[in-house]
Amino acid sequence: MLQAIREKFIGWAMWTLIGIIIVPFAFFGIETFRTGDGDPQVAKVGSQRITQSQLSAAYDQRLRQLQQLMGDKFNPSEFDQNKFREAILKDLVQESLLRQFVSERGFRAGDAQVAQALQEIPAFQDKGAFSSDLYRARLANMGYTPERFETTLRESLVSDQLRDSLVLTAFETDQAAAQSLRLAQQKRSISYALLAPERFRAQAQVTDAQIRARYDERKTSYLAPERIRVAYLELSLEALPKSATPDIEVLKAMYETEKATRYTRPEERQARHILIPFGADKAAAQKQAEALAAKLKNGGDFSALTAANSFDTGSKDKGGSLGWVKRGQMVAPFEKTLFDMGKGELSAPVETEFGWHLIRLDDLRDAQVRPFDDAEVQRELMDTYRARESEKRFQELSEKLETLAFESPGSLDPAAKALGLSVQTSDWLTRKSAEGLFANAKLIEAAFSEDVVKNSENSRPVSTEPGKIVVLRKQEYEAPRARPLAEVEATIRTELVNEAALAAVRTQAEAILSAARKGQDLQSAAAAHSAEFRNAGAIGRAQEDVPAGVRAAAFAQARPKAGAASVVQAELANGAIAIVSVNAVQDATPADASLAQEAQRSRDARAGAEFAAYRGYIEAQYKVKISAPPAETPAP
């Protein structure tokens, strides 16, 4: 496929397939919908099944990406596994619906589009150019064949055709954008009285009888959560000792096996082309291409003729240059012609699915083979050998660990002794308060599974990340228990004090609001109740020095009538209450540049809404049945 066609011919930007928080399905593909009956079904979407293994695989991938994205900010105690699964299952359902819909309506993606998309993926590029070696290596690391990956990519491209037909046709009028921007940049002159609960907490009186009554009333809400301490074995690829240095003949054999792909730089050709699409009259387009060929043979300037006639937007402004091209990057007719040409030669018109091409070969570089004696080659061979041996050893040990843990379910000692591992012990774990190694949701799930808690057996092996396997068993377990009053008394006292303070705040706020609405100046009404008064002046919607709740209340109010203020009560996130007075409204007069930006933002928002609505239409065309709730971890 032509590099220029890869870059711009289709006319829309290729999404990055391998990135952060991709649609889970990008690496699962249609083949994963053809699993056997041994894999439990969690949903049926039209004619396609979504199985437990697909959901689990998508969950693991998304969770790893989320952890990588958030880094140290990822807090397992705030992570709701069940909601996360529900969101992933919803994505899988939506993608399945979209795939079936476009397939039944004849959407297709040709080989040329797939090749173009592949070469746009940054994960498969080396120094900005597609690398077939890197491509195959990355897929091998994920356990994918190029055929399976390209099938998945083709399906994604087909789905994108429908998305783009909706998203790229959305529009917004200049008048609507101007109105939107006038509102977005509007200023409102406000003042507000602020009542914070802290001021009333010291005055709150809570008796022992009130505490006892609350305890008796809500005893079940003061349960201590179940918790567990586990013993575990951790098998890590990184911790395995390096394999012995192989015999030189082993490295030579590896070199010969991979020489043609890994250690050979293939022949490359530097070419230019002019593209004439078929249009409505293929024969006329051919005659145009032949006429251009005649001009070129008579000394016509290739760059000038390209700029005036070529329809390849990616190369026409570069004199038709396609850069250096290797075999496998072109559609077949183009490639055959190019690699049969001599340096400086101009081709006759060549027919491809894109139209007629005139090709000129500017330069060529012969294939080059890096010799075995090259020190860098031998270092790479050694690294590859050791990595493969470690992977092989890790796989063997993983299978042995699984077997021993199953055969001796009542102890980890046989597996530890056989594999040379140490039995380690965790701190107390709950379903939500784990950290470190046990921040992994699947480990927590295993720790609280029936086999471990109820049956006191070893867990199944859990892959916490690539190259790391953990097997665990119960060390100590405590079921949810009722805490005695003495243990929760301080908590209940704080609750009651906060409630009393909030009630006092509400009473004062209602008095100030009533006075202000009856015509009393807000500042004097606030002073009468010892509330803090702030004159914020003209504020915008994103004014950082004004509480968000105050801003929201101010901009939700109708314009005040002439000579009067519009007064409203707002509850703030910290429990405080504000009485907000909107005194005046100033509309914005946007600049032309701002209008253009707002029009684009509005178009994007409209495009998203239109696609969401169409997805609703698609969903109505198929029967969706959720066979089982996606939650695998019971709520604590």
Side-chain angles (χ1 to χ4, degrees):
M1 169 111 0
L2 301 176
Q3 177 179 346
I5 295 174
R6 288 198 314 270
E7 291 175 352
K8 294 184 179 178
F9 185 75
I10 300 302
W12 41 265
M14 178 60 197
W15 38 262
T16 301
L17 183 59
I18 300 178
I20 303 233
I21 309 299
I22 55 179
V23 173
F25 211 97
F27 283 112
F28 299 101
I30 194 67
E31 293 181 19
T32 62
F33 283 93
R34 299 174 180 157
T35 54
D37 291 335
D39 193 358
Q41 175 178 296
V42 295
K44 182 76 176 293
V45 183
S47 61
Q48 293 184 350
R49 300 170 64 239
I50 299 177
T51 66
Q52 182 61 55
S53 65
Q54 294 163 8
L55 179 60
S56 296
Y59 178 95
D60 289 345
Q61 183 189 41
R62 279 280 191 96
L63 181 59
R64 285 196 300 270
Q65 292 170 340
L66 181 63
Q67 290 171 331
Q68 292 170 0
L69 179 65
M70 298 186 67
D72 295 339
K73 294 181 180 179
F74 181 77
N75 186 349
S77 65
E78 298 177 355
F79 178 67
D80 190 321
Q81 301 175 34
N82 295 338
K83 288 185 178 179
F84 195 59
R85 282 192 182 89
E86 289 174 2
I88 292 171
L89 179 57
K90 183 178 179 180
D91 280 348
L92 291 174
V93 168
Q94 289 294 332
E95 288 298 325
S96 177
L97 288 167
L98 187 58
R99 176 183 289 108
Q100 292 179 75
F101 184 81
V102 297
S103 175
E104 292 173 5
R105 281 153 181 78
F107 286 79
R108 298 290 183 268
D111 292 343
Q113 288 174 278
V114 175
Q116 173 190 350
L118 274 178
Q119 299 193 40
E120 293 288 343
I121 298 173
F124 302 146
Q125 293 179 353
D126 182 16
K127 297 179 181 178
F130 177 79
S131 167
S132 58
D133 294 341
L134 184 60
Y135 169 56
R136 294 181 181 277
R138 288 278 168 87
L139 293 187
N141 287 340
M142 294 185 293
Y144 272 74
T145 63
E147 291 76 15
R148 181 179 176 188
F149 181 82
E150 288 163 17
T151 295
T152 303
L153 178 57
R154 187 186 305 274
E155 293 162 356
S156 297
L157 291 172
V158 171
S159 297
D160 280 350
Q161 292 177 22
L162 177 62
R163 287 189 179 98
D164 288 348
S165 68
L166 295 166
V167 171
L168 299 183
T169 56
F171 67 93
E172 182 66 283
T173 65
D174 292 342
Q175 293 83 355
Q179 176 64 8
S180 176
L181 199 56
R182 277 194 292 271
L183 292 174
Q185 295 182 354
Q186 186 184 83
K187 298 283 187 180
R188 294 197 166 200
S189 297
I190 70 164
S191 56
Y192 60 99
L194 190 62
L195 291 159
E198 290 81 5
R199 173 182 153 209
F200 298 94
R201 287 195 179 104
Q203 305 169 19
Q205 299 295 319
V206 176
T207 66
D208 291 342
Q210 288 175 308
I211 294 174
R212 165 59 70 176
R214 173 59 61 86
Y215 177 75
D216 291 339
E217 176 189 354
R218 303 182 183 178
K219 189 175 294 186
T220 56
S221 67
Y222 301 121
L223 291 176
E226 66 176 327
R227 61 179 189 165
I228 191 171
R229 291 177 68 238
V230 298
Y232 65 95
L233 297 176
E234 182 180 18
L235 178 64
S236 173
L237 175 63
E238 292 181 354
L240 294 180
K242 287 186 177 181
S243 60
T245 301
D247 186 84
I248 192 69
E249 295 303 320
V250 173
L251 296 183
K252 284 183 178 179
M254 288 176 58
Y255 174 78
E256 290 301 324
T257 300
E258 301 185 24
K259 179 169 67 174
T261 56
R262 185 171 179 180
Y263 298 107
T264 298
R265 190 187 75 185
E267 176 187 3
E268 294 180 304
R269 299 200 162 206
Q270 191 176 55
R272 297 174 182 270
H273 85 134
I274 296 174
L275 171 64
I276 306 299
F278 298 137
D281 190 338
K282 183 177 179 180
Q286 182 178 8
K287 288 182 179 180
Q288 181 184 355
E290 290 170 348
L292 287 171
K295 290 182 180 179
L296 290 170
K297 288 179 180 179
N298 290 327
D301 183 85
F302 199 100
S303 294
L305 290 173
T306 299
N309 297 279
S310 181
F311 277 73
D312 179 3
T313 58
S315 67
K316 69 179 297 180
D317 294 333
K318 298 184 290 186
S321 175
L322 299 172
W324 290 98
V325 178
K326 295 180 289 188
R327 291 186 186 273
Q329 293 181 288
M330 311 291 181
V331 289
F334 191 105
E335 179 178 286
K336 184 179 187 308
T337 301
L338 176 61
F339 281 83
D340 286 345
M341 294 169 64
K343 184 176 178 179
E345 186 178 346
L346 176 71
S347 75
V350 177
E351 180 183 354
T352 74
E353 62 192 88
F354 298 103
W356 297 102
H357 303 260
L358 296 175
I359 307 169
R360 190 180 80 185
L361 176 61
D362 288 346
D363 203 353
L364 55 86
R365 293 195 292 227
D366 293 333
Q368 292 185 357
V369 180
R370 297 166 65 191
F372 175 77
D373 294 336
D374 186 314
E376 183 65 18
V377 169
Q378 293 201 17
R379 184 191 66 77
E380 291 178 15
L381 288 167
M382 182 70 73
D383 289 345
T384 300
Y385 172 82
R386 284 180 168 159
R388 289 175 180 173
E389 288 298 303
S390 293
E391 290 280 0
K392 180 180 177 182
R393 178 64 175 158
F394 179 75
Q395 185 62 34
E396 292 172 351
L397 293 176
S398 298
E399 293 173 358
K400 192 172 184 180
L401 174 60
E402 181 175 8
T403 300
L404 292 172
F406 176 77
E407 292 177 346
S408 302
S411 175
L412 293 174
D413 291 339
K417 184 177 181 180
L419 276 62
L421 300 174
S422 299
V423 178
Q424 304 179 66
T425 304
S426 73
D427 293 329
W428 283 105
L429 306 171
T430 68
R431 292 185 186 274
K432 291 189 175 181
S433 64
E435 58 185 24
L437 174 67
F438 290 91
N440 185 281
K442 299 202 74 173
L443 268 186
I444 293 298
E445 178 185 332
F448 286 95
S449 66
E450 183 176 351
D451 285 343
V452 173
V453 174
K454 185 176 179 180
N455 301 334
S456 297
E457 296 179 351
N458 296 333
S459 74
R460 57 180 175 76
V462 178
S463 176
T464 58
E465 59 183 78
K468 189 167 289 187
I469 301 289
V470 175
V471 173
L472 54 82
R473 63 176 294 100
K474 179 177 67 180
Q475 183 95 348
E476 296 180 74
Y477 174 77
E478 290 183 359
R481 62 180 177 82
R483 293 174 176 172
L485 176 59
E487 189 175 327
V488 296
E489 180 179 359
T491 299
I492 295 175
R493 184 180 298 276
T494 299
E495 288 178 3
L496 293 173
V497 166
N498 288 341
E499 290 172 8
L502 185 57
V505 166
R506 292 186 184 282
T507 299
Q508 297 279 20
E510 288 171 4
I512 296 174
L513 179 62
S514 177
R517 284 181 171 172
K518 290 178 180 178
Q520 185 176 358
D521 176 70
L522 181 58
Q523 184 171 6
S524 62
H529 293 275
S530 301
E532 180 183 357
F533 176 79
R534 297 181 184 177
N535 186 3
I539 69 166
R541 295 178 184 271
Q543 194 94 10
E544 293 185 357
D545 58 351
V546 175
V550 171
R551 298 198 309 268
F555 281 93
Q557 283 297 97
R559 291 172 179 265
K561 295 180 180 179
S566 180
V567 186
V568 66
Q569 178 175 305
E571 296 194 9
L572 309 187
N574 61 357
I577 294 180
I579 307 302
V580 183
S581 175
V582 180
N583 306 314
V585 175
Q586 305 163 28
D587 286 326
T589 304
D592 290 343
S594 298
L595 282 172
Q597 293 176 357
E598 178 61 20
Q600 182 61 55
R601 187 203 65 77
S602 296
R603 277 194 295 272
D604 292 343
R606 186 179 296 276
E610 289 177 356
F611 183 63
Y614 200 78
R615 284 200 314 184
Y617 164 75
I618 293 174
E619 187 169 355
Q621 310 305 305
Y622 300 88
K623 183 178 180 180
V624 177
K625 179 182 178 182
I626 305 299
S627 305
E632 296 178 356
T633 304

